[in-house]
Amino acid sequence: MQANDCAAALAAAEGLCEARGTRLTELRRRVLEIVCASARPIGAYAILDVLRDDGRPGAPPTVYRALDFLLEQGLVHRLASLNAFIGCSHPAEHHGGQFLICERCGCVGELDSHEVEDGIVRAAAAVGFAARTQMVEILGRCAACRDAPA
Amino acid sequence: MQANDCAAALAAAEGLCEARGTRLTELRRRVLEIVCASARPIGAYAILDVLRDDGRPGAPPTVYRALDFLLEQGLVHRLASLNAFIGCSHPAEHHGGQFLICERCGCVGELDSHEVEDGIVRAAAAVGFAARTQMVEILGRCAACRDAPA
DNA sequence: TGGTGAATGTTATACAGTAACGTGTGTTAC
DNA sequence: GTAACACACGTTACTGTATAACATTCACCA
Ligand SMILES: [Zn+2]
Ligand SMILES: [Zn+2]
Ligand SMILES: [Zn+2]
Ligand SMILES: [Zn+2]
């Protein structure tokens, strides 16, 4: 995520939490900032390292609790295949999300195609399965890396 | 996976490895058997417990190496959201796979819809991303649990 | 018969996540 | 005011997941 996107994400988070009556505390705000400032998905312990560099006290529950709040609010996503977190690029609407993970540069883009989501719900329903939420992580080459050599 | 499915999976694995010139050793075969014999996804350390019950020596790398081989051969799948493994229900053709995970009974079904897969590839291509492989895990209720109370 | 590479054994460690309990702080009820 | 309460955060300890690094064994072939 770019620096200006990061500032925009923080501003959006402020507004959303204000509107929802939830508390974006200093710690939660800082964790969101760390996640959004990272160009690539970042792990919980890497976030913790940054917090400690800040001079804060900190242990794993510190960061996991903040991340739980941010996940609930839809401000960050967790990538199950990487055990890492990224900022949501459009948090106003809660969504499962589909993620494009570049195997060359490590960047992650968010897709959020309703066609894909609905197609999955329908395909599941066709075999009697009632889909509630879905996790879609796509590995490949991003536009910038697409034509690079192996 | 049912017992007869398990036997069939082992037989299919023998044939595939034979045809490919890869070695389905005693250990790898036993790990595949353990995974296929489990009605639900099974974790690496649970597999390790079974191996030890067999009287084998064993440490985490033992089972992770066997699983790496089975994953490469497309004989098992890893469910990233559960950190667990299941036998592939039709290993002849390599595939990313789409998984239907029941939140009530814990069973997992394999979907493998080409429509879904192709839809994802197209949606990714539309934003310049070249998809190589995809991970789709769908949470909800299986047909048997669909109408059960919460 | 000795060399080569693959598979496995073994030890140690890194990384991910949670349980349980204590502490401070602000808000509400009386 | 102050007692009661809910919530966020600090702290310790632990469980679970996965890998690095090196030693050993074994199958196969020159
Ligand atoms: Zn998002
Ligand atoms: Zn890239
Ligand atoms: Zn499969
Ligand atoms: Zn079920």
Side-chain angles (χ1 to χ4, degrees), chain B residues 102-118:
Chain B
C102 178
E103 296 176 304
R104 181 161 176 276
C105 73
C107 75
V108 175
E110 215 176 317
L111 185 60
D112 297 317
S113 152
H114 278 278
E115 287 76 17
V116 167
E117 184 168 352
D118 293 348

mmCIF file of all heavy atoms in Angstrom, chain B residues 102-118:
data_model
loop_
_atom_site.group_PDB
_atom_site.id
_atom_site.type_symbol
_atom_site.label_atom_id
_atom_site.label_comp_id
_atom_site.label_asym_id
_atom_site.label_seq_id
_atom_site.Cartn_x
_atom_site.Cartn_y
_atom_site.Cartn_z
ATOM 1 N N CYS B 102 -17.689 -27.570 6.120
ATOM 2 C CA CYS B 102 -18.884 -27.408 6.940
ATOM 3 C C CYS B 102 -18.488 -26.927 8.337
ATOM 4 O O CYS B 102 -17.672 -27.544 9.012
ATOM 5 C CB CYS B 102 -19.653 -28.715 7.046
ATOM 6 S SG CYS B 102 -21.112 -28.568 8.099
ATOM 7 N N GLU B 103 -19.103 -25.812 8.733
ATOM 8 C CA GLU B 103 -18.756 -25.231 10.031
ATOM 9 C C GLU B 103 -19.425 -25.976 11.182
ATOM 10 O O GLU B 103 -19.106 -25.729 12.340
ATOM 11 C CB GLU B 103 -19.169 -23.751 10.061
ATOM 12 C CG GLU B 103 -18.402 -22.928 9.047
ATOM 13 C CD GLU B 103 -18.868 -21.481 8.995
ATOM 14 O OE1 GLU B 103 -20.078 -21.249 8.776
ATOM 15 O OE2 GLU B 103 -18.026 -20.601 9.184
ATOM 16 N N ARG B 104 -20.369 -26.857 10.865
ATOM 17 C CA ARG B 104 -21.050 -27.571 11.941
ATOM 18 C C ARG B 104 -20.404 -28.930 12.193
ATOM 19 O O ARG B 104 -20.043 -29.244 13.311
ATOM 20 C CB ARG B 104 -22.532 -27.746 11.604
ATOM 21 C CG ARG B 104 -23.306 -28.455 12.693
ATOM 22 C CD ARG B 104 -24.793 -28.217 12.555
ATOM 23 N NE ARG B 104 -25.516 -28.982 13.557
ATOM 24 C CZ ARG B 104 -25.859 -30.272 13.411
ATOM 25 N NH1 ARG B 104 -25.533 -30.922 12.324
ATOM 26 N NH2 ARG B 104 -26.526 -30.892 14.383
ATOM 27 N N CYS B 105 -20.242 -29.742 11.146
ATOM 28 C CA CYS B 105 -19.735 -31.097 11.364
ATOM 29 C C CYS B 105 -18.262 -31.234 11.012
ATOM 30 O O CYS B 105 -17.650 -32.244 11.338
ATOM 31 C CB CYS B 105 -20.572 -32.112 10.572
ATOM 32 S SG CYS B 105 -20.277 -32.089 8.791
ATOM 33 N N GLY B 106 -17.692 -30.237 10.364
ATOM 34 C CA GLY B 106 -16.257 -30.276 10.090
ATOM 35 C C GLY B 106 -15.885 -31.058 8.848
ATOM 36 O O GLY B 106 -14.703 -31.162 8.519
ATOM 37 N N CYS B 107 -16.864 -31.618 8.162
ATOM 38 C CA CYS B 107 -16.547 -32.386 6.959
ATOM 39 C C CYS B 107 -16.107 -31.430 5.843
ATOM 40 O O CYS B 107 -16.422 -30.243 5.873
ATOM 41 C CB CYS B 107 -17.731 -33.224 6.509
ATOM 42 S SG CYS B 107 -19.042 -32.276 5.699
ATOM 43 N N VAL B 108 -15.354 -31.949 4.894
ATOM 44 C CA VAL B 108 -14.875 -31.128 3.785
ATOM 45 C C VAL B 108 -15.145 -31.857 2.478
ATOM 46 O O VAL B 108 -14.800 -33.023 2.334
ATOM 47 C CB VAL B 108 -13.372 -30.844 3.902
ATOM 48 C CG1 VAL B 108 -12.877 -30.091 2.676
ATOM 49 C CG2 VAL B 108 -13.076 -30.043 5.155
ATOM 50 N N GLY B 109 -15.771 -31.166 1.557
ATOM 51 C CA GLY B 109 -16.008 -31.734 0.237
ATOM 52 C C GLY B 109 -15.193 -30.994 -0.804
ATOM 53 O O GLY B 109 -14.827 -29.844 -0.617
ATOM 54 N N GLU B 110 -14.899 -31.692 -1.895
ATOM 55 C CA GLU B 110 -14.146 -31.054 -2.964
ATOM 56 C C GLU B 110 -15.112 -30.712 -4.087
ATOM 57 O O GLU B 110 -15.938 -31.534 -4.473
ATOM 58 C CB GLU B 110 -13.062 -32.017 -3.455
ATOM 59 C CG GLU B 110 -11.804 -31.300 -3.870
ATOM 60 C CD GLU B 110 -10.690 -32.248 -4.258
ATOM 61 O OE1 GLU B 110 -10.488 -33.251 -3.563
ATOM 62 O OE2 GLU B 110 -10.044 -31.959 -5.265
ATOM 63 N N LEU B 111 -14.984 -29.480 -4.593
ATOM 64 C CA LEU B 111 -15.944 -29.037 -5.592
ATOM 65 C C LEU B 111 -15.385 -29.139 -7.008
ATOM 66 O O LEU B 111 -15.947 -29.769 -7.866
ATOM 67 C CB LEU B 111 -16.354 -27.595 -5.266
ATOM 68 C CG LEU B 111 -17.439 -26.956 -6.115
ATOM 69 C CD1 LEU B 111 -18.710 -27.744 -6.027
ATOM 70 C CD2 LEU B 111 -17.682 -25.526 -5.625
ATOM 71 N N ASP B 112 -14.239 -28.498 -7.244
ATOM 72 C CA ASP B 112 -13.574 -28.563 -8.544
ATOM 73 C C ASP B 112 -14.481 -28.191 -9.708
ATOM 74 O O ASP B 112 -14.647 -28.956 -10.664
ATOM 75 C CB ASP B 112 -12.985 -29.955 -8.779
ATOM 76 C CG ASP B 112 -11.916 -30.280 -7.764
ATOM 77 O OD1 ASP B 112 -11.101 -29.388 -7.487
ATOM 78 O OD2 ASP B 112 -11.897 -31.386 -7.219
ATOM 79 N N SER B 113 -15.066 -27.010 -9.606
ATOM 80 C CA SER B 113 -15.894 -26.506 -10.696
ATOM 81 C C SER B 113 -15.019 -25.749 -11.688
ATOM 82 O O SER B 113 -14.356 -24.773 -11.338
ATOM 83 C CB SER B 113 -16.980 -25.587 -10.133
ATOM 84 O OG SER B 113 -17.361 -24.633 -11.101
ATOM 85 N N HIS B 114 -15.041 -26.194 -12.926
ATOM 86 C CA HIS B 114 -14.259 -25.495 -13.947
ATOM 87 C C HIS B 114 -14.808 -24.098 -14.193
ATOM 88 O O HIS B 114 -14.060 -23.180 -14.513
ATOM 89 C CB HIS B 114 -14.232 -26.307 -15.248
ATOM 90 C CG HIS B 114 -13.206 -27.378 -15.236
ATOM 91 N ND1 HIS B 114 -11.887 -27.128 -15.525
ATOM 92 C CD2 HIS B 114 -13.277 -28.680 -14.914
ATOM 93 C CE1 HIS B 114 -11.199 -28.252 -15.411
ATOM 94 N NE2 HIS B 114 -12.016 -29.219 -15.035
ATOM 95 N N GLU B 115 -16.116 -23.944 -14.037
ATOM 96 C CA GLU B 115 -16.712 -22.622 -14.219
ATOM 97 C C GLU B 115 -16.119 -21.645 -13.208
ATOM 98 O O GLU B 115 -15.730 -20.529 -13.551
ATOM 99 C CB GLU B 115 -18.240 -22.679 -14.051
ATOM 100 C CG GLU B 115 -18.974 -23.336 -15.199
ATOM 101 C CD GLU B 115 -18.838 -24.858 -15.186
ATOM 102 O OE1 GLU B 115 -18.449 -25.421 -14.131
ATOM 103 O OE2 GLU B 115 -19.099 -25.479 -16.229
ATOM 104 N N VAL B 116 -16.061 -22.069 -11.952
ATOM 105 C CA VAL B 116 -15.504 -21.197 -10.917
ATOM 106 C C VAL B 116 -14.038 -20.897 -11.218
ATOM 107 O O VAL B 116 -13.605 -19.736 -11.188
ATOM 108 C CB VAL B 116 -15.652 -21.842 -9.529
ATOM 109 C CG1 VAL B 116 -14.805 -21.101 -8.500
ATOM 110 C CG2 VAL B 116 -17.122 -21.860 -9.108
ATOM 111 N N GLU B 117 -13.304 -21.942 -11.515
ATOM 112 C CA GLU B 117 -11.877 -21.777 -11.765
ATOM 113 C C GLU B 117 -11.630 -20.823 -12.933
ATOM 114 O O GLU B 117 -10.831 -19.890 -12.838
ATOM 115 C CB GLU B 117 -11.244 -23.140 -12.046
ATOM 116 C CG GLU B 117 -9.740 -23.068 -12.223
ATOM 117 C CD GLU B 117 -9.090 -24.446 -12.208
ATOM 118 O OE1 GLU B 117 -9.789 -25.448 -11.902
ATOM 119 O OE2 GLU B 117 -7.881 -24.512 -12.502
ATOM 120 N N ASP B 118 -12.339 -21.043 -14.030
ATOM 121 C CA ASP B 118 -12.157 -20.189 -15.202
ATOM 122 C C ASP B 118 -12.618 -18.764 -14.920
ATOM 123 O O ASP B 118 -12.009 -17.793 -15.396
ATOM 124 C CB ASP B 118 -12.931 -20.760 -16.392
ATOM 125 C CG ASP B 118 -12.352 -22.092 -16.866
ATOM 126 O OD1 ASP B 118 -11.239 -22.436 -16.418
ATOM 127 O OD2 ASP B 118 -13.014 -22.777 -17.662
#
